[in-house]
Amino acid sequence: MIRITLAGCTGWVGKALVAAISAAPDLELVAGVSRKAAGGDLGEAAGQPANGKPVFATVAEALSVPSDVLIDYTKPDSVKGNVLAAVAAGRHVVVGASGMTAEDYAEIEAAARKANVGVLAAGNFSITATLLRRFAREAVKYVPDVEIIDYASASKPDTPSGTGRELAETLGAERMAGTAKPVSELGGARETRGAALGAPHPVQVHSLRMPGFVLSCEAVFGLPDERLVIRHDAGSSAAPYVGGTLLAARRVADEIGLRRGLDSLMG
C-alpha cells in the first residue's frame, strides 16, 4: 500500500482525488490538508462519507502522520514550501499545483537528490495535455518558430498556467533559435508580445483570462506559407486529472530527483 497525504483536499481536483484514492486497492489516504476544513474528517471535507482520516491546516502538521507520498494541489503561494517540507521529511512528492518557476524547480531538484526522494511535477496531469506536450516536442525539432497561447478562467490566480509555463520551458530548452524579430528591437507596446519563458531560446507566451474558459493551451508553429496548431481544451470536470495523478503517485518513487511532465512516465 502507498500511503498518501493530500494537500488541497477540498479543492476542485482534491475532492475527486479523495474519492479515487479511497477506491484504489493499492493506495491509502492517511491525511489531508485544508485550512478551512482543519480539524474535521477528510471524507466529509471532500463531500464523501466519513473515513476517520484527519485534516490539518498545514502540510507541516500533516507530515506528522506517516506517509509515503505527498500529492499537492494547493495554490501558487504555498506549493513550493509544501514540496520542500515534504522532501525534507523524506516523502516523495507529486506536484499538481502551478505557479513555480524554473528556479524553484532547480531548488527542488537539488533538495530531492539530497534527501534521496522522487518528485514528479506536471503542469497538467490529463492525457490530452500530456500529448500536447509530447507532440509539440516532436514538432519543435523541425519547426523552431513557436509561440504559446494560454487560456484560463477570469479567476485563475497565476499566469501563465502551469501547462503553458511547463510547455514553454520545455520547448525553450529544445528548439533552435526562431526567426521572429527580437522583442528588444520592436517599437510600440512591447508587452503585447507576451512573456519570454525558457532557455536558451525563450518562447513567447500569451495568457488570456476571461469567463468562458476553464483551461486551454495551444502551441502555434510557423514555417513560410504553412502553420501547425496543437491545442488542448479542458472541460469543467476534474476527472481528466485524476488518472494521471494516481499514476504519478504510483511511480514517483521509481527515480530519485525531479521529473517534469506526465510524459516522463510514458513509453
Side-chain angles (χ1 to χ4, degrees):
M1 295 289 285
I2 300 172
R3 300 167 298 174
I4 294 176
T5 300
L6 176 59
C9 61
T10 57
W12 181 52
V13 180
K15 289 180 179 179
L17 284 172
V18 170
I21 295 169
S22 299
D26 59 334
L27 305 175
E28 180 186 3
L29 190 59
V30 298
V33 178
S34 170
R35 288 191 181 92
K36 67 180 182 182
D41 180 273
L42 177 51
E44 292 179 339
Q48 306 291 323
N51 59 16
K53 305 300 182 181
V55 181
F56 298 90
T58 67
V59 164
E61 294 171 310
L63 292 173
S64 65
V65 178
S67 62
D68 304 299
V69 177
L70 171 74
I71 297 176
D72 191 292
Y73 267 95
T74 58
K75 297 184 182 299
D77 60 353
S78 57
V79 57
K80 179 183 176 182
N82 292 344
V83 174
L84 290 174
V87 166
R91 306 306 207 273
H92 304 288
V93 184
V94 173
V95 184
S98 59
M100 288 194 288
T101 66
E103 292 75 18
D104 293 331
Y105 280 115
E107 183 178 346
I108 288 168
E109 157 77 355
R113 291 198 174 278
K114 182 178 180 181
N116 205 40
V117 299
V119 176
L120 202 159
N124 194 315
F125 276 105
S126 82
I127 294 300
T128 57
T130 301
L131 292 174
L132 161 65
R133 174 180 155 98
R134 169 167 282 202
F135 296 154
R137 293 180 71 184
E138 186 67 20
V140 84
K141 296 177 184 177
Y142 307 98
V143 188
D145 281 282
V146 56
E147 300 197 11
I148 293 168
I149 306 176
D150 159 59
Y151 307 81
S153 67
S155 61
K156 185 167 177 58
D158 59 315
T159 182
S161 66
T163 309
R165 178 184 291 276
E166 184 176 85
L167 182 59
E169 290 175 348
T170 299
L171 299 183
E174 298 181 359
R175 75 168 181 154
M176 298 177 289
T179 64
K181 185 181 288 293
V183 174
S184 61
E185 297 179 11
L186 299 176
R190 294 176 178 174
E191 296 83 359
T192 60
R193 289 290 290 123
L197 299 177
H201 300 299
V203 176
Q204 297 300 130
V205 182
H206 313 266
S207 291
L208 276 68
R209 296 290 180 266
M210 62 180 65
F213 290 103
V214 177
L215 177 67
S216 300
C217 184
E218 63 184 33
V220 183
F221 295 85
L223 284 172
D225 293 322
E226 56 183 327
R227 184 173 66 252
L228 170 68
V229 179
I230 308 174
R231 177 175 171 126
H232 156 75
D233 288 290
S236 58
S237 167
Y241 313 108
V242 171
T245 303
L246 297 191
L247 174 62
R250 293 179 173 110
R251 298 280 301 279
V252 65
D254 291 354
E255 294 185 23
I256 301 304
L258 172 70
R259 284 177 287 173
R260 299 282 303 274
L262 185 61
D263 57 335
S264 65
L265 303 182
M266 300 174 69

